[in-house]
Amino acid sequence: PLTGTATGSLATNKNIRIAKVPTITSVTGTSSNTNAVLAVLADVVAVTVTLDSNDIISGSNATLTLETGVVDRQGALSSTTATTLVFNYTVQSGDVNSLLNYTSTSALNLGNVVINGFSGLVLPLPALASNSSLKASNIKVDTTAPGSPTLTR
């Protein structure tokens, strides 16, 4: 066996960090509405994507495509921590969904975001119907105007 401190040996490179590609464990959401499970016109829904480990995250142009009715909307990356990416989505006219969710398990576009030194990552989101998906947060999106009242005599 080789011993010593030759260039390139582990003895001279003790501070090597072995990075792993993270996995997404859950996606949750909260509405800015005082009724946290109902989002109406102009409300902001914060969608938090949680990773399985402490990571080094940099970059800013990631998006998350949400199923919001006829027109799908993008949540824009608003903040990160070592274990989360938070996306903000503003409810717009015409948005309706009985249980807000992302469009597919591939709805996360990390853009220029780098995680643990890896760029161009494609991280699958939890299955759409799983208890770890955004759907489990039970957020209803409704911008439908109330109907006109009817009078009866």
Side-chain angles (χ1 to χ4, degrees), residues 37-49:
V37 294
L38 175 65
V40 297
L41 187 64
D43 282 348
V44 175
V45 176
V47 179
T48 301
V49 175

Side-chain angles (χ1 to χ4, degrees), residues 71-96:
V71 177
D72 295 333
R73 305 288 184 196
Q74 301 289 318
L77 184 64
S78 64
S79 65
T80 62
T81 68
T83 57
T84 63
L85 297 105
V86 179
F87 296 84
N88 283 343
Y89 146 65
T90 302
V91 179
Q92 299 174 42
S93 180
D95 292 357
V96 177

